């Protein structure tokens, strides 16, 4: 059953490129409402915990170093069919394979520094949102 919320992060490469405004505009223009948002920086420990599901993958160490390398924007977004529609808006993991007009096609650097995170399921959207926001912050 599809729910109406997803979780995103604008990753360090996109913050570094001053792309926060452009990415948030694309998100709003696509019909997502921002439910909760914060500008923050992950420690190595927090990034490692967030990406724990990828612990066994060869790029895990690189991913944790990268995601803790600079500030990010974390946000919970709301729209009908949020998870699937947001994955469509951001495009493929590897920007070289991302469709024209997607956030990653426009803003990503490479397969690691790929501008944005988007939850892959309703279940993970809730877990990831709860990782970054308290119940009182989600309104
Ligand atoms: P997703 O972000 O499109 O859901 P995942 O497979 O869940 O992609 O991977 C999580 C993150 O790990 C990616 O967004 C990217 O930052 C990084 N990543 C994925 N595959 C690779 C890779 O082959 N090399 C380096 N980093 C990768
Ligand atoms: Mg993923």
């Amino acid at each position: 059953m599809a729910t109406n919320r997803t979780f995103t992060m604008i990753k360090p490469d996109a913050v570094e490129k001053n792309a926060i405004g452009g990415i948030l505009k694309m998100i709003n223009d696509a019909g997502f409402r921002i439910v909760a948002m914060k500008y923050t920086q992950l420690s190595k420990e927090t990034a490692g915990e967030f990406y724990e599901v990828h612990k066994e993958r060869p790029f895990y160490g690189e991913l944790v170093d990268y995601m803790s390398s600079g500030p990010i924007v974390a946000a919970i977004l709301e729209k009908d069919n949020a998870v699937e529609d947001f994955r469509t808006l951001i495009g493929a993991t590897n920007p070289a394979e991302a469709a024209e007009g997607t956030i990653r096609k426009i803003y990503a650097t490479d397969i690691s520094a790929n501008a944005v995170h988007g939850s892959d399921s309703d279940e993970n959207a809730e877990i990831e949102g709860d990782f970054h926001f308290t119940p009182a912050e989600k309104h």
Side-chain angles (χ1 to χ4, degrees), residues 51 54 57 87 93 104 117-120 128:
Y51 283 108
H54 295 308
R57 295 174 79 174
R87 296 289 302 200
T93 306
R104 282 170 166 168
H117 170 82
S119 304
D120 63 7
E128 292 171 358

Side-chain angles (χ1 to χ4, degrees), residues 11 51 54 57 59 62-63 66 87 90-93 104 111-114 116-118 120:
K11 297 185 177 184
Y51 283 108
H54 295 308
R57 295 174 79 174
F59 56 81
E62 180 192 346
L63 178 59
Y66 159 63
R87 296 289 302 200
I90 69 178
T93 306
R104 282 170 166 168
I111 192 171
S112 175
N114 60 2
V116 279
H117 170 82
D120 63 7

Side-chain angles (χ1 to χ4, degrees), residues 61-128:
E62 180 192 346
L63 178 59
V64 168
D65 285 347
Y66 159 63
M67 285 301 295
S68 57
S69 68
I72 63 154
V73 174
I76 296 172
L77 306 175
E78 190 169 79
K79 179 188 181 296
D80 287 348
N81 202 34
V83 167
E84 191 185 342
D85 287 1
F86 193 69
R87 296 289 302 200
T88 301
L89 178 66
I90 69 178
T93 306
N94 184 351
E97 291 161 12
E100 289 299 330
T102 59
I103 292 175
R104 282 170 166 168
K105 182 71 174 186
I106 295 167
Y107 291 110
T109 305
D110 56 38
I111 192 171
S112 175
N114 60 2
V116 279
H117 170 82
S119 304
D120 63 7
S121 66
D122 293 335
E123 187 192 4
N124 285 334
E126 191 169 356
I127 292 168
E128 292 171 358

